[in-house]
Amino acid sequence: MSIYEERPEVPIEQQEQQVQSKKSIGDYESLHNQIGTQLDYEDSVIFLTDEIESHTLTDFIIRMRSLLQHRKDKTSPINLMINSPGGDIYEMFGIIDYIESLDVKVNTICRGRAFSAAAIILVCGTGNRMMSKRSTVMFHQSSSFLGGKMSDITAYLDNVKSLETIIYGMLAEKTKKNAEWWKNKMRNDLFMTSDELMEIGVIDRII
């Protein structure tokens, strides 16, 4: 039917049914979101999904503060469920610093994947670090797409090297391998299974 053609009139009864149907869907979605939030509070669960971008840290802190305020058990560990391809290194450091500032432990749990920055967050959990047996974790060096003046590029690369040194030190502190081992292994993408991660101390338990 052309947009210029006259559309047939819909009977009033059918219109009322459509309105009621839309209202029911809206009510269901609202109820689903409400129940989901309540369950998250009861189970003390925070989700870290999708790419870690410029807004991720702010969203993470808002959700964490809400969880800390509304959950019944104020002392039990918080469960951070991770399924992320990684992303921004500065947001990653902000999330880790915030986790370490909390009075309660934060369990990190990988279900699906934890790549790049998400893998570092997994390692830096302050409680139990876990993953499902068929999940995948990947570590690698920082990526960069450079352009501009040579002095700016040099300054940027110096900063990246400094941040990478910090990351190698964090991994050495949290695992059974030293910083040099991590530096050498992360020259290329390093994909690891749950058994391999258990062996070197990246995670504490396979679930």
Side-chain angles (χ1 to χ4, degrees), residues 4-181:
Y4 299 105
E5 292 180 21
E6 202 173 302
R7 296 182 181 273
E9 286 189 16
V10 179
I12 293 177
E13 290 182 0
Q14 188 175 342
Q15 291 179 23
E16 290 176 348
Q17 289 176 354
Q18 291 175 351
V19 170
Q20 183 63 35
S21 176
K22 290 180 180 179
K23 183 177 184 299
S24 298
I25 293 173
D27 290 345
Y28 171 78
E29 290 178 346
S30 176
L31 179 61
H32 180 273
N33 292 335
Q34 182 181 359
I35 291 175
T37 301
Q38 289 173 349
L39 290 175
D40 291 348
Y41 289 155
E42 291 175 6
D43 296 336
S44 292
V45 176
I46 289 286
F47 292 91
L48 181 61
T49 58
D50 301 324
E51 187 173 356
I52 299 172
E53 301 175 318
S54 58
H55 60 83
T56 305
L57 173 59
T58 302
D59 291 348
F60 179 81
I61 292 175
I62 290 171
R63 286 183 286 120
M64 186 69 81
R65 287 171 62 90
S66 179
L67 173 60
L68 290 169
Q69 179 181 355
H70 291 96
R71 67 183 189 146
K72 294 178 181 178
D73 187 348
K74 305 293 187 181
T75 60
S76 64
I78 293 169
N79 299 303
L80 174 57
M81 305 288 292
I82 301 172
N83 180 26
S84 169
D88 188 276
I89 190 172
Y90 301 103
E91 298 286 297
M92 175 202 79
F93 278 126
I95 290 172
I96 292 172
D97 287 344
Y98 185 75
I99 288 173
E100 292 180 346
S101 73
L102 297 175
D103 294 330
V104 296
K105 299 291 185 182
V106 176
N107 300 326
T108 48
I109 307 163
C110 173
R111 287 193 179 275
R113 60 178 171 174
F115 292 175
S116 184
I120 309 300
I121 294 171
L122 172 66
V123 177
C124 291
T126 54
N128 289 318
R129 302 162 304 169
M130 300 168 273
M131 67 183 293
S132 54
K133 61 183 178 180
R134 294 184 182 88
S135 294
T136 304
V137 173
M138 186 269 285
F139 298 91
H140 67 176
Q141 287 181 328
S142 300
S143 302
S144 60
F145 301 92
L146 301 176
K149 296 184 296 183
M150 184 58 66
S151 58
D152 292 337
I153 294 174
T154 300
Y156 179 83
L157 289 175
D158 287 342
N159 184 55
V160 169
K161 289 178 181 178
S162 175
L163 295 175
E164 286 184 341
T165 299
I166 293 172
I167 291 173
Y168 300 143
M170 293 165 62
L171 291 172
E173 181 182 348
K174 296 285 187 176
T175 69
K176 299 175 183 178
K177 299 297 184 180
N178 60 32
E180 193 62 28
W181 186 92

Side-chain angles (χ1 to χ4, degrees), residues 194-207:
S194 55
D195 289 330
E196 293 170 333
L197 294 166
M198 273 286 292
E199 184 178 349
I200 65 171
V202 167
I203 59 172
D204 306 304
R205 183 150 59 98
I206 300 172
I207 55 176

